[in-house]
Amino acid sequence: MLLPALSKAKNHAGKATDMDNLRQIMLAVHLYAGDNSDVLPPPNWDNGGRPGATNTGWLYAVDLEASIGDPSKFQVDTGLLWNTLKFAKIYFCPLDLPTLPLFKERPQQISSYAMNGGVIGYGDTVYPPQKLGKMWSQACAFWETDENDPFYFNDGANYPPEGVSGRHLAGGVQALFDASVSYVKTNLWYQDVASPLKNRLWCYPLTGNGRE
């Protein structure tokens, strides 16, 4: 019985660290918006630097000179939140280990978390991003990315269907635009993904259904 108890305690500790990390990330987002006329930082919805996507985002500055497929093109200290956060470990779940089998297949290996692409209308890529005050305060701003598909780590932003991690006992951690953080079960996440209505995941404010 001792080993399962230790494993569960380690998982809870990792979840607590995730919650603290995302609180700090959201504080940095709010500070950034406060200094930029309430405009949110770009989410790095750029597939790691596709032509025309040259916006420096919350996580990194796009490096168009770097080789495609080279993880070193992503440098966390070039992102817009770095001067506030200053520690690379804040961008990582402590259970999201580089030794995991799929980790090295990720194009981007500098964060366990993704920003909601709804701040730019997802694939419509509407810049500048939305203002913080335009986003529903209870909508999801960041979440722990599902570690089971390396492509979900192709940049710094995701669609809701790309999913939340289930590493914390079939659930993961999310941060809302009001800077609160919480735990969400994967089954509840995918219920919201499947909804055709605007909701806390599909949250682009300029369309009726929260999508493009």
Side-chain angles (χ1 to χ4, degrees):
M1 295 295 292
L2 181 60
L3 286 177
L6 288 174
S7 177
K8 189 172 182 179
K10 183 178 180 181
N11 194 287
H12 280 300
K15 182 172 72 173
T17 298
D18 276 319
M19 297 181 82
D20 185 56
N21 288 347
L22 284 172
R23 283 191 191 97
Q24 293 185 69
I25 288 172
M26 285 309 301
L27 174 60
V29 167
H30 278 244
L31 290 172
Y32 176 91
D35 289 338
N36 290 274
S37 303
D38 204 40
V39 176
L40 289 161
N44 284 124
W45 184 282
D46 51 45
N47 198 26
R50 58 180 171 76
T54 56
N55 294 282
T56 298
W58 77 276
L59 184 57
Y60 57 84
V62 172
D63 183 357
L64 295 176
E65 302 301 319
S67 300
I68 295 174
D70 180 2
S72 68
K73 71 187 296 183
F74 301 98
Q75 298 294 328
V76 70
D77 59 357
T78 64
L80 292 171
L81 304 187
W82 178 258
N83 285 341
T84 300
L85 298 173
K86 296 186 183 298
F87 292 99
K89 67 180 182 179
I90 293 174
Y91 297 78
F92 265 100
C93 172
L95 304 183
D96 189 17
L97 302 174
T99 54
L100 294 173
L102 295 177
F103 188 96
K104 292 183 179 180
E105 296 182 30
R106 300 177 187 176
Q108 175 269 103
Q109 301 175 7
I110 58 174
S111 182
S112 303
Y113 315 117
M115 191 172 185
N116 194 331
V119 300
I120 55 165
Y122 304 104
D124 283 351
T125 57
V126 179
Y127 288 97
Q130 290 296 303
K131 291 188 175 185
L132 177 60
K134 291 289 186 180
M135 304 302 296
W136 180 33
S137 65
Q138 297 303 294
C140 182
F142 286 84
W143 62 83
E144 278 188 276
T145 304
D146 182 356
E147 70 277 15
N148 293 306
D149 190 330
F151 182 73
Y152 294 166
F153 298 84
N154 64 315
D155 51 25
N158 277 341
Y159 278 109
E162 289 176 302
V164 69
S165 174
R167 67 167 58 91
H168 300 300
L169 306 178
V173 177
Q174 60 184 352
L176 309 186
F177 282 101
D178 68 357
S180 64
V181 298
S182 59
Y183 172 76
V184 59
K185 285 284 192 179
T186 53
N187 63 321
L188 297 178
W189 179 276
Y190 286 107
Q191 286 179 22
D192 286 333
V193 168
S195 171
L197 304 176
K198 180 182 286 187
N199 58 32
R200 63 182 199 84
L201 300 182
W202 297 109
C203 59
Y204 181 46
L206 300 186
T207 60
N209 63 5
R211 293 158 171 81
E212 293 100 323

